[in-house]
């Protein structure tokens, strides 16, 4: 029978979602595990205030991006987790957002299962939920959107985006795009081609839920040009759909409000 706290037994890997950045969005279970972990293997999306919650004596291993854009390859991370589970009691694999939403948590869990390593998955607030809430954009709304879709804009080696365009170009559904910044121009062009109006409100939420959150509001047609002027590569979530027009009214988090860069965006 599973106990509520497998940390009292040996060699368990906890695949934990850290949420989008605000440490107050951690689950109670994630917070507790950070306090008792022997080792924490973390990704680059995990925010500094969350890393600061790890006791100073706990071993930390960075598994994200390092200098010159190299990553610890996924097969190496998988092997590392198995090795750690064989020598440590409580291994926390800490990932941004939710581990099972575009987080490769599923791949790591499969590898652990195949190698007979005990694991648990601790869900986190995915950036779609966190960023939309902190930007004042309800993902659904009875009058504006009857559904929401999460897609990734990331492709390997600049391959064409292979998405279900006719379904995605639905004005009554909100579209949330993870990792979509570099492919936004192609994405926008495809959606317009498949019938989504060019003046559909569109937002980019940058560093969502963090003190430096920035929300840019434009339209499907204009957002690519707006985003192209921004420097760096901070985490950026795209939200496309009628609900984005509510951001001006509901933005409770940003001290100076959302940055409306296209004045054709109006709430109905
Ligand atoms: C590899 S995916 C990981 C998603 C994560 N598992 C989740 O559930 O949010 C990385 C993408 O998540 C989005 N993201 C994560 N944290 C974010 C944040 N604080 N602000 C804006 N976007 C964020 C961005 O689109 C980023 O490119």
């Amino acid at each position: 029978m599973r106990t509520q706290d497998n940390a009292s037994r040996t060699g368990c890997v906890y695949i934990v979602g850290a949420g989008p950045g605000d440490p107050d969005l951690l689950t109670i279970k994630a917070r507790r595990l950070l306090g008792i972990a022997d080792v924490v293997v973390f990704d680059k999306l995990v925010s500094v205030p969350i890393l600061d919650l790890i006791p100073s004596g706990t071993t930390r291993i960075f598994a994200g991006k390092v200098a010159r854009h190299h990553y610890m390859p996924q097969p190496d991370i998988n092997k590392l987790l198995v090795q750690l589970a064989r020598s440590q009691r409580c291994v926390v694999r800490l990932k941004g957002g939710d581990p099972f939403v575009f987080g490769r948590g599923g791949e790591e869990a499969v590898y652990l299962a195949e190698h007979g390593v005990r694991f648990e998955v601790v869900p986190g607030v995915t950036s779609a939920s966190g960023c939309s809430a902190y930007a004042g954009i309800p993902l659904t709304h009875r009058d504006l959107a009857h559904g929401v879709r999460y897609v990734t804009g990331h492709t390997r080696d600049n391959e064409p985006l292979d998405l279900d365009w006719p379904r995605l170009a639905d004005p009554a559904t909100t579209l949330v795009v993870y990792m979509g910044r570099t492919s936004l121009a192609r994405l926008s062009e495809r959606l317009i081609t498949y019938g989504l109006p060019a003046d559909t409100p569109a937002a980019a939420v940058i560093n969502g839920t963090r003190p430096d959150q920035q929300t840019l509001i434009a339209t499907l047609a204009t957002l690519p040009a707006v985003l192209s002027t921004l420097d760096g590569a901070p985490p950026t979530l795209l939200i496309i759909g009628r609900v984005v027009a509510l951001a001006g009214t509901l933005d409770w988090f940003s001290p100076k409000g959302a940055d409306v860069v296209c004045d054709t965006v109006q709430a109905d």
Side-chain angles (χ1 to χ4, degrees), residues 34-90:
L34 289 181
I36 61 170
D38 298 304
V39 55
V40 177
V41 181
F42 64 97
D43 278 349
K44 73 178 163 98
L45 274 178
V46 178
S47 69
V48 172
I50 289 176
L51 293 176
D52 286 346
L53 297 172
I54 302 169
S56 55
T58 306
T59 305
R60 300 169 191 213
I61 301 175
F62 178 59
K65 203 176 203 175
V66 292
R68 279 181 286 190
H69 305 279
H70 293 300
Y71 288 79
M72 186 185 284
Q74 191 63 47
D76 292 359
I77 297 174
N78 296 346
K79 283 183 203 149
L80 175 69
L81 293 176
V82 170
Q83 272 169 16
L84 290 171
R86 291 189 175 139
S87 60
Q88 305 290 333
R89 207 168 44 91
C90 177

Side-chain angles (χ1 to χ4, degrees), residues 139 145 147-152 163 165 167-170 172-178 187 191 196 201-203 220 237-244:
L139 293 179
V148 55
R149 290 175 194 270
Y150 296 174
V151 297
T152 174
L163 296 172
W165 300 109
R167 280 174 190 263
L168 292 182
D170 172 9
T173 300
T174 305
L175 185 59
V176 178
V177 187
Y178 291 70
L187 189 93
L191 289 171
L196 197 59
L220 180 58
L237 190 85
L238 309 174
I239 305 175
I240 299 163
R242 295 170 180 159
V243 287
V244 170

Side-chain angles (χ1 to χ4, degrees), residues 83-115:
Q83 272 169 16
L84 290 171
R86 291 189 175 139
S87 60
Q88 305 290 333
R89 207 168 44 91
C90 177
V91 179
V92 167
R93 173 70 175 114
L94 190 60
K95 303 171 88 69
D98 183 280
F100 275 7
V101 180
F102 301 126
R104 304 188 80 168
E107 291 169 48
E108 293 175 10
V110 166
Y111 191 86
L112 293 169
E114 286 172 351
H115 288 76

Side-chain angles (χ1 to χ4, degrees), residues 20 45 96-98 101-102 126-127 131 178-179 205 208 210 235-237:
L45 274 178
D98 183 280
V101 180
F102 301 126
T126 189
S127 45
C131 295
Y178 291 70
M179 297 171 276
V205 185
R210 304 176 186 210
T236 303
L237 190 85

Side-chain angles (χ1 to χ4, degrees), residues 151-230:
V151 297
T152 174
H154 178 75
T155 58
R156 290 184 195 190
D157 306 323
N158 268 342
E159 284 169 11
L161 279 175
D162 186 18
L163 296 172
D164 185 352
W165 300 109
R167 280 174 190 263
L168 292 182
D170 172 9
T173 300
T174 305
L175 185 59
V176 178
V177 187
Y178 291 70
M179 297 171 276
R181 187 161 162 186
T182 53
S183 57
L184 176 59
R186 281 181 290 158
L187 189 93
S188 164
E189 183 266 317
R190 292 268 87 189
L191 289 171
I192 292 169
T193 301
Y194 277 86
L196 197 59
D199 64 355
T200 301
V205 185
I206 300 152
N207 290 315
T209 81
R210 304 176 186 210
D212 54 352
Q213 171 176 307
Q214 196 182 359
T215 307
L216 301 176
I217 311 284
T219 66
L220 180 58
T222 59
L223 193 62
V226 170
L227 259 189
S228 68
T229 62
L230 285 184

